[in-house]
Each structure stands twice: as C-alpha cells, then as structure tokens.
Amino acid sequence: MSPGPARRLVPSYLATGGVGAPEHSRFEELTALQATGRSALPHHTPAHQRLLNLVSDGGLTVMEIAGYLRLPVGVVKMLAAQLVSDGHLRAAAPLPDALAPAINAGRPDKALLEEVMHGLLAL
Amino acid sequence: MPSLPLPPDCPVRPRTVLGARTSRTNPVRTWDFGKRAASQGGRTDAPLPYPRRQVGLPGVGVPSRPISAGDRRSHSEDPLSVTPNPEAAVAVLGAATVVGTVAVVALAKSRAALSRRCAELSAQTAEQSQALAALQAREAAQFEELRHLVSSRLPAAALHLISDHHPVPGALLDDGSDYAAQIQAAHDLFVESLVEERGRIDAAARAALRGACTAIQAQSFRLQTLVDDLQRDCRDPEVLQEYFRIDQLNERVLRLVQKAAIVSGSWPGLVRPDTHLPDVVAGATSRLHGFERVQVHTKLPAGGVGVVGRAAEPVAVACAELMANALESSRGDLAVEVTLLQTDNGSVCVQIDDAGKGMTREAVARGTRLVAGDNAGNLLITELGDPPALGFAAIGQLVADHGFHVSVDQVSPYGGVRAVLAVPKHLLTTIDETAEPPSAMAAMPTPAPRTPIPPVTAVSAEPAEGLRDVSAPSAGDAHTLPQRRRRSGSSRGRSLTRAPRPVDPEEAGTAWGDFEQAVAAGRDGTESENKDKS
C-alpha cells in the first residue's frame, strides 16, 4: 500500500464548466489576450475568473496564461475562446507575425530567442 | 346414587329406629351412642365391640331387617311369652342375637371398608382423569408452541435479521419449564447460525467486490493518466472536448468503484500530499454527473487552509458522495450550493445545500446512523439494499477511519437537505499559497469588503490567490504588470530559480524595445547579435 505517484486531483475539464469552445475560435499559443474590462458573469468558472484577473492589468499570451494557471494550453485556448465570445477578452494576433516585415517571413529561430532571453535576464 | 356412609370412627350418628322401645323414647330419631344400646337392652352380656347402628343398603329399607327388629321387639315386649323352657329360649335367643349382632357388625364393617375403597378408587380415578386432562392440555400447548416456533417465530427472526422493522413474536409458553427453555434454545441456535452464516457469505461477497473494485480502480487510474497526458498535448479544442468527455466518464467510473471498494473494506486507493480544501472540494465536484450545477463558495480566511495528506482523498470521497446525493435528489436545473467556512472552534465545514424534496424521516435516521460510522466494521452489504446504496456506508467507513464528522439531518434553506462535513482541527494544515497555490479550478475566495474603486480596475483589485504577489499593495499597484511566480521544484530553466523582482513599467518598456531591436538584428545578421550581446 505504498503511495504511488502523485495523482491529479482536479481535472482540467472543470475549468471550462462543461461547455465546449465556440466553433470559430482559432487561437495560437502566442495570441495575446487583453481584458475588455467587463467583470465575470455568474456562469464563469473560477478558472475564467482567474484568467480575467491575470489579464486585467495588461495583455498576456495564451502560453503565458497556461503557465500561470498551470493548465494545458488547449484548455486555456478553450477558456479564452469562451471569454472572447462573451465579450470579456480581446484577442490580438500573435506578436512574431505582427513583427514580421513581410507576410511570409519566417519566425526567429529558437536559439536566437534564447540568446535574447538570456540577455534580457542579464540586464 | 347411594348416600355415602359416614366415617367409621364417628361416635354420633343419626339413626332411624323402628320399634316400640325406641319409638317411645324418641318417636322419630334418636342419637344412639354405642354403649347405650347394650346397657338399656340388658339382653346382651358383653358390650358390643362395634357401635350398633342401622346401616341401609342401597335400595333396601331398614324395615327389611327382620332379625334385629323382630327379635328385639318380641324380646322386649314379651319377655315371658309361652315357652316350654324359658331359659333355653333365652339362651337361644341371646345366642341368636349375639350372632346376628356380630354378623351385622361384620357386614357393616366390610361394607364400610368397601365404601372406603370405593371412595378411594373413585378419588384416584378422578385424580387420574384430571392428570390426564392436564397432560393432554400440556401436550396440546407444547404442540402449539412448536407450531408457533416453526411457522411464526423462526420466519420472523429471519426477517428481523434483514430489517429491524419486522417484529419477532415471543414464546407462547413462558412458564420457565424445560420445554420452553429448549424451544428458546432452538430459536437462539437458529438465529445464531443464521447470523454466522450471513457474516460468512457477506465476507465472501465483500472480498469478491473488493478484489474486482481494486483491479478496476487501478485500470481507471491508468486511463486517467493517459487521458490527462493526451489533454496536455492536445491543441485542437474539439478533440480536447472529446477527451474531456472521456475523462469525466472515467472519473465517474472511478468514483463508483472507489465507493464500492471502500464499503467492502478497502482503502481509498491513493495518498495525496497536503491539499488545499478548495481543491479537495473541486476534485470531488469533478467526479459527479452534473458537476456544472455545483456552485462552490469559499468563506475561508486567507492563508491556505489545507487538509492533511492522509485525509485529503477520504474527505474528497465523502464530499463527492454528499454532493452526488444533493445532485440526484434535486431537479436538473437547480443548483447545489456548497459553502466552505471555518468555524470558531477551528474546524472547517463543507456545507452542501440542495433544493430537492428532502429525505424522509426514515431515510434521515438511516443516513445518520450510517454516516456516524459507529458500526462501520460490522456493516453488511446485504443490509444496504439491492442494488446496494453505498454512499452513506462509504462515508461511515471513512468517518470511522479518519475522524471527520458528517451530518445529514438538517434541512437546507431551500427545503432540501443540508449536509455538513466538518473537518476537525487535527486534520487541517496550513499550506503556503505562494509556494503551492491552489489549482485554477478551485473556488475563488469571497472578496473582503473594500473601498469603492474605479470600475476598470475592479477585477484587478480582487486578488487572485497565489497568482500575484500578495505583499504588493493593491491601491498603488494598479499599473504594474502581473507578478510572475515561480513553481517550486520546477526545472524549466535557470530563470525560474531567480527570485521575483518588482517590475518598473519604464524598465519593462526599455527591455521590450531592446527585444524588438534584437529580433530585427537577428533577422539581419549574426554580427549585430554579437554586438548587442556584448
């Protein structure tokens, strides 16, 4: 009767409140989300509220929100889609694409981004 | 029926005497003393050994006794009648009288003895017939008792073991006799054997159930891990939605299996670390069909109220069962209100209110008895109905094992049932919310009363537990970016080992500008990258 590996207690589907994502929602990992300022509705789950609290002071990407909330990225996408369709969030196009001078320009490679990150941290 | 003779030793007897002598002295009846006849008559020399008396034979009148009456009369009235030899005649008469008297006396004696014997015999017969009647009555009563045992008491005793509502009739014979004791012994032996055999069968059933449940539980845990991994990797919302369905079904299966395993004597199946109570409740909610209807409100004080690891899963199971009852007993569009609050005595209560019809008095009594866990060790699966209602029994088992308290006997404000699970102080702990924040799905704490603030920042002023630096003042902090917090024990890169530092908006803007420049430089060439780096 030795304890096994720590087992999940709260499943992710609790975050969405049992409701699926709207059909047309297409979010990327780097889609930036910003609050519109509307407060949460009664049907919003604690996860929705936490997401709104996170982005209330400024925009965050889906990936960052997933990191903060410790939720799978897909779940955050679903939450974000629900909140966008409810009018609580504004989604912006992913930043690297916005920065790209041309439509078909490639993104910076991973090594370069890591160097930049280390540079930033060294500031 | 002839009159019974008087006892022979009676000295005084009523007597009807015929004849002139007696009729002169007493015309109807005289009391004749034994010695008087001899002295008065003078005819007899010797005193009579027996009291002289007239004995009536059945159907024979006294006057038909010619010897004594005739002799006596002739002798007393005509003592000197014409006789050739008076002496001889006197002698003959005397002898005849003596003989007759002796004969009468002997006859009377034998008759008295016969009467006595007859009386004894008839008394004996009467006694015997009485005894026979009593024996027959007793035999009938005993047979009736036996029939009562077989046809009423034993079936009733068997039914009583199934349900206490069935009354068991007592014995008809309750006279403390050996027979009654034997009947009671047979009854007791029957009940004892029944209980023993039932316990044996129930133990076998429990072992089978436990084995099956444990195996299914293990497989379900594996499926849970698998689906969880799939969810983490999934990027498609539609597919993710399907995974969610599978996951939820699996959680429901797990709950059912875990409940049955607990009732059949198993442990909950896993040990958790110390866990935030809102997480425990959220986890319990997720295992239910219709979990969307459960609304959890937290009134817990800030500071991370947690349940110690050994009690986390049991409390979750008990909460899940109570919430399942609430969901099942209320209509599909009614919410189930769950409130977490800390009482003054230090324990933490999970209060579950439904708006259903409530429970009947019998159900409340039964539920209260089961969740108290007093008799959890001796509980029989066969007592729980078909199919067995395992929820309360499982709670009772957990209560007995872990020492929290459950009550189901209150009425909710909506007229349904208010179930309260109280976690006592010794099962509680404090968890650092900064190091171990609760999950995103845990209920948000109710915001404390505060001064009005601009509507735009209304949401930001409400602190998300564990998601930002709680030490930062909220009033002057409205324009700062969210604090990024580190996950303890994570190894996602060296940046995560650094302590969080306050972010200055200007500095952040500068850094972001540098980032843009660096990106642009990276696209142009590696020389500028090296230059920037230096």
Side-chain angles (χ1 to χ4, degrees), chain B residues 98-268:
Chain B
V98 168
V99 167
T101 307
V102 167
V104 164
V105 167
L107 198 65
K109 188 182 174 186
S110 96
R111 177 174 168 70
L114 204 62
S115 299
R116 271 201 309 277
R117 179 82 184 126
C118 180
E120 279 170 14
L121 279 177
S122 56
Q124 225 171 20
T125 310
E127 272 175 22
Q128 281 174 354
S129 57
Q130 266 181 2
L132 186 65
L135 277 176
Q136 280 173 342
R138 180 155 181 76
E139 191 197 353
Q142 285 180 350
F143 182 76
E144 184 63 24
E145 174 67 36
L146 193 61
R147 202 181 57 76
H148 177 61
L149 178 78
V150 172
S151 64
S152 301
R153 292 185 70 198
L154 294 187
L159 282 176
H160 183 77
L161 289 179
I162 295 170
S163 166
D164 291 344
H165 298 298
H166 291 283
V168 180
L172 298 176
L173 275 179
D174 196 13
D175 51 0
S177 66
D178 196 35
Y179 183 82
Q182 290 301 321
I183 287 283
Q184 189 59 39
H187 173 268
D188 293 349
L189 184 66
F190 173 79
V191 172
E192 195 181 317
S193 310
L194 218 54
V195 167
E196 201 173 308
E197 192 61 15
R198 190 176 65 159
R200 213 175 59 81
I201 292 170
D202 207 85
R206 272 201 287 188
L209 187 61
R210 191 166 54 235
C213 287
T214 313
I216 298 171
Q217 197 179 10
Q219 298 305 316
S220 246
F221 277 141
R222 293 179 64 184
L223 181 59
Q224 186 191 63
T225 308
L226 181 65
V227 175
D228 209 38
D229 288 346
L230 286 173
Q231 286 177 13
R232 294 210 167 269
D233 296 339
C234 179
R235 295 287 186 266
D236 186 344
E238 287 174 16
V239 178
L240 188 62
Q241 190 66 23
E242 297 305 317
Y243 286 155
F244 281 173
R245 288 207 188 102
I246 297 171
D247 202 5
Q248 222 269 319
L249 277 176
N250 187 43
E251 287 291 332
R252 277 150 67 178
V253 170
L254 253 179
R255 181 194 136 231
L256 297 176
V257 168
Q258 195 178 22
K259 174 170 72 167
I262 290 169
V263 171
S264 59
S266 180
W267 68 307

Side-chain angles (χ1 to χ4, degrees), chain A residues 2 8 11-12 15 23 31 38 47-48 54-55 57 74-76 89 92-93 100 109 111 117 121:
Chain A
S2 63
R8 176 197 77 181
S12 304
E23 291 280 329
T31 301
R38 298 171 69 177
H48 285 129
L54 265 184
V55 299
D57 293 337
V75 178
V76 176
L89 284 185
D109 63 345
M117 184 182 74
L121 290 169

Side-chain angles (χ1 to χ4, degrees), chain B residues 424-447:
Chain B
K425 221 172 177 175
H426 68 272
L427 294 180
L428 293 173
T429 183
T430 305
I431 301 172
D432 183 7
E433 289 192 342
T434 317
E436 286 289 330
S439 75
M441 285 73 81
M444 298 279 284
T446 310

Side-chain angles (χ1 to χ4, degrees), chain A residues 7-8 13 50 68 118, chain B residues 247 251 272 286 484 494:
Chain A
R7 202 157 273 289
R8 176 197 77 181
Y13 60 79
R50 285 195 165 91
Y68 281 126
H118 294 157
Chain B
D247 202 5
E251 287 291 332
R272 296 193 180 279
S286 70
R484 306 190 180 203
R494 54 182 175 162

Side-chain angles (χ1 to χ4, degrees), chain B residues 36-75:
Chain B
R36 181 178 155 203
S39 61
Q40 202 174 14
R43 318 172 298 279
T44 53
D45 300 322
L48 286 174
Y50 305 103
R52 185 171 3 123
R53 59 177 180 169
Q54 294 291 335
V55 179
L57 284 173
V60 181
V62 175
S64 65
R65 305 286 309 275
I67 300 171
S68 63
D71 273 356
R72 233 177 268 148
R73 186 167 57 235
S74 64
H75 179 72

